[in-house]
Amino acid sequence: AQKVTQAQTEISVVEKEDVTLDCVYETRDTTYYLFWYKQPPSGELVFLIRRNSFDEQNEISGRYSWNFQKSTSSFNFTITASQVVDSAVYFCALSEAFDYGQNFVFGPGTRLSVLP
Amino acid sequence: DSGVTQTPKHLITATGQRVTLRCSPRSGDLSVYWYQQSLDQGLQFLIQYYNGEERAKGNILERFSAQQFPDLHSELNLSSLELGDSALYFCASSRGGRTNYGYTFGSGTRLTVV
């Protein structure tokens, strides 16, 4: 069965620092999809990115960037020049190809606190 | 606004009671998923419906049940409530029945059982 590990339970940084959130996954499938979601203090879950297993290009969206490395089964998320509004819990998730809900696996989350 | 609507946003009820949580999926989405998020359990998948039919089941308690109606809205019924049922309950929706495109989540219903 697939698994997602986010070894960092909590991270604190000072505003403007760069921070990387780690995500390591396990799957037997060759086709799979990786996701990041953000849960700010208000509680809603916000979709950030989806990446399929055939696309190892890094992606950058403003201050956010994602590094996907199949060789190490990792899909890490970096926030550059962090801001207080980035404070949230971040979840990494994995779906094997053509799967149903019970196989959409979330990691335990990393709580990021950005201090002013 | 994600397009997924959950009501109510907050609910406080007593042990032993029954409550109904409601979810309207994003326009055009046929699948609805229910998740429970408690402090010590993370995001736990409960159940998925696709176009009115149950498609997948997670660790949903027998005291909990759900359904999806012809207009595609869904309800999660929680009965004989216990203190441990206090949690944030999320509904999510997706266009198809598979999860490879991810979900869009609603803002959640915070249930407090006292």
Side-chain angles (χ1 to χ4, degrees):
Chain A
Q2 64 269 51
K3 184 179 176 182
V4 175
T5 301
Q6 295 178 258
Q8 305 148 309
T9 307
E10 294 191 35
I11 302 176
S12 285
V13 298
V14 177
E15 208 170 16
K16 296 183 184 168
E17 283 185 7
D18 298 348
V19 58
T20 296
L21 310 183
D22 297 334
C23 172
V24 174
Y25 61 91
E26 293 176 28
T27 176
R28 289 172 296 184
D29 270 16
T30 55
T31 303
Y32 52 90
Y33 300 83
L34 295 162
F35 304 82
W36 277 93
Y37 285 84
K38 173 183 180 179
Q39 187 175 35
S42 50
E44 72 274 21
L45 278 159
V46 179
F47 167 83
L48 295 178
I49 190 171
R50 168 183 180 265
R51 176 53 52 89
N52 76 58
S53 55
F54 297 108
D55 182 3
E56 284 194 74
Q57 269 196 325
N58 290 335
E59 177 142 350
I60 298 174
S61 175
R63 295 184 297 106
Y64 293 173
S65 62
W66 290 269
N67 179 259
F68 176 32
Q69 292 200 337
K70 285 176 80 169
S71 59
T72 55
S73 297
S74 64
F75 186 43
N76 296 339
F77 172 32
T78 297
I79 302 175
T80 303
S82 60
Q83 300 177 0
V84 172
V85 292
D86 296 325
S87 297
V89 180
Y90 291 87
F91 293 94
C92 181
L94 165 70
S95 171
E96 291 177 345
F98 310 118
D99 245 328
Y100 298 122
Q102 79 276 17
N103 292 326
F104 192 96
V105 178
F106 283 91
T110 296
R111 182 178 298 278
L112 174 65
S113 298
V114 181
L115 308 173
Chain B
D1 182 4
S2 69
V4 179
T5 304
Q6 286 189 250
T7 57
K9 291 196 183 310
H10 301 276
L11 200 48
I12 301 175
T13 190
T15 54
Q17 295 299 304
R18 172 189 168 94
V19 297
T20 297
L21 313 183
R22 184 188 166 100
C23 170
S24 293
R26 201 176 50 166
S27 178
D29 285 358
L30 299 178
S31 270
V32 169
Y33 309 79
W34 286 98
Y35 278 81
Q36 179 192 56
Q37 186 182 32
S38 52
L39 281 174
D40 56 347
Q41 293 288 326
L43 280 158
Q44 298 289 315
F45 170 72
L46 295 178
I47 198 163
Q48 175 194 358
Y49 279 84
Y50 174 72
N51 205 21
E53 301 283 330
E54 183 183 305
R55 181 58 63 94
K57 210 165 186 175
N59 296 324
I60 186 167
L61 299 173
E62 284 190 15
R63 300 184 286 108
F64 296 0
S65 65
Q67 54 185 322
Q68 186 179 29
F69 295 86
D71 67 353
L72 300 178
H73 92 271
S74 178
E75 293 181 356
L76 178 67
N77 300 296
L78 315 176
S79 61
S80 303
L81 284 167
E82 302 175 358
L83 295 177
D85 297 327
S86 295
L88 195 49
Y89 290 85
F90 284 105
C91 167
S93 71
S94 67
R95 191 61 49 106
R98 309 286 188 168
T99 59
N100 47 305
Y101 283 92
Y103 308 149
T104 299
F105 281 88
S107 55
T109 293
R110 185 169 296 280
L111 173 66
T112 303
V113 182
V114 297

